[in-house]
């Protein structure tokens, strides 16, 4: 079998230090992006539609990060229980609904009508379900991956 050559020749200690620095810088970048979007919305008074693409990129990035952490075992989940999954789903659903209400009815002067808000809640319901489904799927796949690695050793 062909042996892989590392991109950078680092020993284990230096690799761990590099990974920690990368993780901290990634976290700071995501937090800075959130800060910039909040600043643009509230301090500069920009319309939400001016930076929705920015918000979508941050959201998708955060979802992929959590899925990757679940898959590679950085967020260990020993046993998935239906109650836990439903509780996480409920928390994300409530947080998304409250955020949407504040975003459209507090931050903007012409708020949403009840029927428009109900439409937004329907979207939140579906998107939250997909997010939780991805989290469960990647945690199951990650657990199977870890079991397969243990069997190979």
């Amino acid at each position: 079998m062909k042996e892989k050559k590392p991109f950078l020749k680092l020993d284990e200690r230096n690799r761990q230090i590099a990974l920690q620095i990368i993780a901290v810088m990634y976290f700071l970048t995501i937090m800075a992006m959130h800060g910039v979007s909040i600043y643009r919305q509230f301090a500069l008074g920009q319309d939400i539609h001016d930076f929705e693409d920015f918000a979508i990129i941050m959201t998708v990035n955060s979802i992929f990060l959590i899925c990757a952490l679940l898959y590679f075992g950085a967020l260990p989940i020993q046993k998935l229980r239906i109650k836990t999954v439903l509780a996480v789903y409920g928390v994300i659903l409530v947080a998304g609904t409250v955020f949407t209400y504040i975003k459209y009815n507090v931050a903007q002067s012409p708020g949403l009508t009840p029927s428009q808000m109900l439409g937004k809640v329907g979207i939140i319901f579906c998107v939250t379900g997909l997010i939780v489904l991805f989290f469960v799927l990647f945690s199951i796949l990650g657990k199977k991956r870890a079991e397969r690695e243990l069997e190979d050793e």
Side-chain angles (χ1 to χ4, degrees):
M1 185 189 328
K2 189 176 177 182
E3 190 175 320
K4 287 184 180 180
K5 291 184 179 179
F7 176 66
L8 296 173
K9 294 181 181 181
L10 298 173
D11 63 358
E12 187 65 31
R13 182 177 163 270
N14 288 339
R15 186 177 308 139
Q16 283 302 103
I17 292 171
L19 290 174
Q20 288 176 349
I21 291 171
I22 290 168
V24 168
M25 294 307 296
Y26 177 79
F27 177 75
L28 291 175
T29 302
I30 295 296
M31 290 298 107
M33 289 172 66
H34 283 291
V36 167
S37 66
I38 290 170
Y39 173 75
R40 287 173 66 181
Q41 181 178 0
F42 295 111
L44 298 180
Q46 291 181 345
D47 190 34
I48 291 173
H49 302 292
D50 291 339
F51 54 93
E52 254 181 4
D53 55 346
F54 198 65
I56 291 170
I57 290 170
M58 289 188 306
T59 303
V60 169
N61 188 310
S62 299
I63 291 170
F64 283 154
L65 172 68
I66 294 170
C67 287
L69 290 173
L70 287 168
Y71 181 75
F72 290 110
L75 298 175
I77 296 178
Q78 300 300 325
K79 201 177 213 182
L80 284 175
R81 295 188 176 103
I82 300 282
K83 287 167 113 177
T84 307
V85 170
L86 290 175
V88 168
Y89 177 70
V91 167
I92 295 173
L93 187 65
V94 169
T97 303
V98 168
F99 177 77
T100 301
Y101 179 80
I102 291 171
K103 177 180 175 182
Y104 289 105
N105 290 343
V106 176
Q108 294 182 355
S109 56
L112 295 177
T113 64
S115 63
Q116 289 173 326
M117 187 62 192
L118 191 58
K120 297 282 186 192
V121 169
I123 293 170
I124 294 167
F125 187 78
C126 294
V127 170
T128 302
L130 287 172
I131 290 171
V132 170
L133 179 70
F134 277 122
F135 289 171
V136 169
L137 177 68
F138 276 93
S139 64
I140 290 170
L141 290 174
K143 187 174 181 182
K144 286 185 179 185
R145 179 184 155 274
E147 289 171 356
R148 204 171 38 244
E149 284 181 357
L150 287 174
E151 289 174 2
D152 289 343
E153 290 179 2

